[in-house]
Coordinates of all heavy atoms in Angstrom, one line a residue:
A29 N 0.8 -1.2 0.0 CA 0.0 0.0 0.0 C 0.9 1.3 0.0 O 0.5 2.3 -0.7 CB -0.9 0.0 1.2
L30 N 2.0 1.3 0.7 CA 2.8 2.4 0.8 C 3.5 2.6 -0.6 O 3.7 3.8 -1.0 CB 3.9 2.3 1.9 CG 3.3 2.4 3.3 CD1 4.3 2.1 4.3 CD2 2.7 3.8 3.5
H31 N 3.9 1.5 -1.2 CA 4.5 1.7 -2.6 C 3.4 2.3 -3.5 O 3.8 3.1 -4.4 CB 5.0 0.4 -3.1 CG 6.4 0.1 -2.7 ND1 7.5 0.4 -3.5 CD2 6.9 -0.4 -1.5 CE1 8.6 0.1 -2.8 NE2 8.3 -0.4 -1.6
K32 N 2.2 1.9 -3.4 CA 1.1 2.4 -4.3 C 0.9 3.9 -4.0 O 0.7 4.7 -4.9 CB -0.2 1.7 -4.1 CG -0.2 0.3 -4.8 CD -1.5 -0.4 -4.6 CE -1.5 -1.8 -5.2 NZ -2.7 -2.5 -5.0
M33 N 1.0 4.3 -2.7 CA 0.8 5.7 -2.3 C 2.0 6.5 -2.9 O 1.8 7.6 -3.4 CB 0.8 5.8 -0.8 CG 0.6 7.2 -0.3 SD -0.8 8.2 -0.9 CE -2.1 7.1 -0.3
A34 N 3.2 5.9 -2.8 CA 4.4 6.6 -3.4 C 4.2 6.8 -4.9 O 4.5 7.9 -5.5 CB 5.6 5.9 -3.1
D35 N 3.6 5.8 -5.6 CA 3.4 5.9 -7.0 C 2.4 7.1 -7.3 O 2.6 7.8 -8.2 CB 2.9 4.6 -7.6 CG 3.9 3.5 -7.6 OD1 5.1 3.8 -7.4 OD2 3.5 2.3 -7.8
Q36 N 1.4 7.1 -6.5 CA 0.4 8.2 -6.6 C 1.0 9.6 -6.4 O 0.8 10.5 -7.1 CB -0.8 8.0 -5.7 CG -1.8 9.1 -5.7 CD -2.9 9.0 -4.7 OE1 -2.9 8.1 -3.8 NE2 -4.0 9.8 -4.8
V37 N 1.9 9.7 -5.4 CA 2.5 10.9 -5.1 C 3.5 11.3 -6.3 O 3.5 12.5 -6.7 CB 3.3 10.8 -3.8 CG1 4.3 12.0 -3.7 CG2 2.3 10.9 -2.6
D38 N 4.1 10.3 -6.9 CA 4.9 10.6 -8.1 C 4.1 11.2 -9.2 O 4.5 12.2 -9.8 CB 5.6 9.3 -8.7 CG 6.9 8.9 -8.0 OD1 7.5 9.8 -7.3 OD2 7.3 7.8 -8.0
R39 N 2.9 10.6 -9.5 CA 2.0 11.2 -10.5 C 1.6 12.6 -10.2 O 1.5 13.5 -11.0 CB 0.8 10.2 -10.7 CG 1.2 8.9 -11.4 CD 0.0 8.1 -11.8 NE -0.8 7.7 -10.7 CZ -0.6 6.6 -10.0 NH1 0.5 5.8 -10.2 NH2 -1.4 6.3 -9.0
L40 N 1.2 12.8 -8.9 CA 0.7 14.2 -8.5 C 1.9 15.2 -8.6 O 1.7 16.3 -9.1 CB 0.2 14.1 -7.1 CG -1.1 13.5 -6.9 CD1 -1.4 13.2 -5.4 CD2 -2.2 14.3 -7.4
Q41 N 3.1 14.7 -8.2 CA 4.2 15.6 -8.3 C 4.5 16.0 -9.7 O 4.8 17.2 -10.0 CB 5.5 14.9 -7.6 CG 6.7 15.8 -7.5 CD 6.6 16.9 -6.4 OE1 5.5 17.0 -5.8 NE2 7.6 17.6 -6.2
L42 N 4.5 15.1 -10.7 CA 4.8 15.4 -12.1 C 3.7 16.3 -12.6 O 4.0 17.3 -13.4 CB 4.8 14.1 -12.9 CG 6.0 13.2 -12.7 CD1 5.9 11.9 -13.4 CD2 7.3 13.9 -13.1
A43 N 2.4 16.1 -12.2 CA 1.4 17.0 -12.7 C 1.6 18.4 -12.1 O 1.3 19.4 -12.8 CB 0.0 16.5 -12.3
W44 N 2.0 18.5 -10.8 CA 2.2 19.8 -10.2 C 3.4 20.5 -10.9 O 3.3 21.7 -11.1 CB 2.5 19.5 -8.7 CG 2.9 20.7 -7.9 CD1 2.0 21.7 -7.5 CD2 4.2 21.1 -7.4 NE1 2.7 22.7 -6.8 CE2 4.0 22.3 -6.7 CE3 5.4 20.4 -7.4 CZ2 5.1 22.9 -6.0 CZ3 6.5 21.0 -6.7 CH2 6.3 22.2 -6.0
I45 N 4.4 19.8 -11.2 CA 5.6 20.4 -11.9 C 5.1 20.9 -13.3 O 5.4 22.0 -13.7 CB 6.8 19.4 -12.0 CG1 7.4 19.2 -10.6 CG2 7.8 19.9 -13.0 CD1 8.3 18.1 -10.5
A46 N 4.4 20.1 -14.0 CA 3.9 20.4 -15.3 C 3.0 21.7 -15.3 O 2.9 22.5 -16.2 CB 3.1 19.3 -16.0
A47 N 2.3 21.8 -14.2 CA 1.4 23.0 -14.0 C 2.2 24.3 -13.6 O 1.6 25.3 -13.4 CB 0.3 22.7 -13.0
G48 N 3.5 24.2 -13.4 CA 4.3 25.3 -13.1 C 4.5 25.5 -11.6 O 4.8 26.6 -11.2
R49 N 4.4 24.5 -10.9 CA 4.6 24.5 -9.4 C 3.8 25.6 -8.7 O 4.3 26.4 -8.0 CB 6.1 24.7 -9.1 CG 6.9 23.6 -9.6 CD 8.4 23.9 -9.3 NE 9.3 22.9 -9.9 CZ 9.9 21.9 -9.2 NH1 9.7 21.8 -8.0 NH2 10.6 21.0 -9.9
P50 N 2.4 25.5 -8.9 CA 1.6 26.5 -8.2 C 1.6 26.4 -6.7 O 2.0 25.3 -6.2 CB 0.2 26.2 -8.7 CG 0.3 24.8 -9.2 CD 1.7 24.6 -9.6
A51 N 1.3 27.4 -6.0 CA 1.3 27.4 -4.5 C 0.2 26.6 -3.9 O 0.2 26.3 -2.7 CB 1.3 28.9 -4.0
K52 N -0.8 26.3 -4.7 CA -2.0 25.6 -4.2 C -1.9 24.2 -4.7 O -1.4 23.9 -5.8 CB -3.3 26.2 -4.6 CG -3.6 27.5 -4.0 CD -4.9 28.0 -4.4 CE -5.3 29.3 -3.8 NZ -6.7 29.7 -4.2
P53 N -2.5 23.2 -3.9 CA -2.6 21.8 -4.5 C -3.5 21.8 -5.7 O -4.4 22.7 -5.9 CB -3.1 21.0 -3.4 CG -3.6 21.9 -2.3 CD -3.0 23.3 -2.6
L54 N -3.2 20.8 -6.6 CA -4.0 20.8 -7.9 C -5.5 20.7 -7.7 O -6.2 21.3 -8.4 CB -3.4 19.6 -8.7 CG -2.0 19.7 -9.1 CD1 -1.6 18.4 -9.8 CD2 -1.7 20.9 -10.0
D55 N -5.9 20.0 -6.7 CA -7.4 19.8 -6.5 C -8.0 21.1 -6.1 O -9.1 21.4 -6.5 CB -7.7 18.7 -5.5 CG -7.0 18.9 -4.1 OD1 -6.0 19.6 -4.1 OD2 -7.6 18.4 -3.2
E56 N -7.3 22.0 -5.4 CA -7.9 23.3 -5.1 C -7.9 24.2 -6.3 O -8.8 25.0 -6.5 CB -7.0 24.0 -4.0 CG -7.3 23.5 -2.6 CD -6.5 24.4 -1.6 OE1 -6.2 25.5 -1.9 OE2 -6.3 23.8 -0.5
M57 N -7.0 24.0 -7.2 CA -7.0 24.8 -8.5 C -8.2 24.5 -9.4 O -8.6 25.3 -10.1 CB -5.7 24.6 -9.3 CG -4.5 25.1 -8.6 SD -3.0 24.7 -9.5 CE -3.4 25.2 -11.2
F58 N -8.7 23.3 -9.3 CA -9.7 22.8 -10.2 C -11.1 22.7 -9.6 O -12.0 22.2 -10.1 CB -9.3 21.5 -10.9 CG -8.1 21.6 -11.8 CD1 -6.9 21.2 -11.3 CD2 -8.3 22.2 -13.0 CE1 -5.8 21.4 -12.1 CE2 -7.2 22.4 -13.8 CZ -5.9 22.0 -13.4
E59 N -11.2 23.2 -8.3 CA -12.5 23.2 -7.7 C -13.5 24.1 -8.5 O -13.1 25.2 -9.0 CB -12.4 23.7 -6.3 CG -11.9 22.7 -5.3 CD -11.7 23.3 -3.9 OE1 -12.1 24.4 -3.7 OE2 -11.4 22.5 -3.0
G60 N -14.7 23.6 -8.7 CA -15.7 24.4 -9.5 C -15.5 24.2 -11.0 O -16.2 24.8 -11.7
G61 N -14.6 23.3 -11.4 CA -14.5 22.9 -12.8 C -13.6 23.8 -13.6 O -13.6 23.7 -14.8
H62 N -12.8 24.7 -13.0 CA -11.9 25.5 -13.8 C -10.6 25.8 -13.0 O -10.6 25.7 -11.8 CB -12.6 26.8 -14.2 CG -13.0 27.6 -13.1 ND1 -14.0 27.3 -12.3 CD2 -12.4 28.8 -12.6 CE1 -14.1 28.3 -11.3 NE2 -13.2 29.1 -11.5
A63 N -9.6 26.2 -13.8 CA -8.3 26.5 -13.2 C -8.1 28.0 -13.0 O -8.7 28.8 -13.7 CB -7.2 26.0 -14.0

């Protein structure tokens, strides 16, 4: 389970980097259906 969690964190981290390292987590950026 911890290895799966680490894999998920890798995916989130890559998406965060691709988004330009915003100060907010990605889920907060997309609340309400828009960035």
Side-chain angles (χ1 to χ4, degrees):
L30 290 173
H31 272 266
K32 286 181 182 178
M33 179 59 59
D35 292 345
Q36 179 183 7
V37 165
D38 276 339
R39 288 189 297 276
L40 288 166
Q41 186 74 355
L42 288 173
W44 177 71
I45 291 168
R49 298 177 186 256
K52 291 183 177 183
L54 298 175
D55 56 335
E56 281 186 24
M57 291 176 51
F58 294 102
E59 285 180 356
H62 61 285

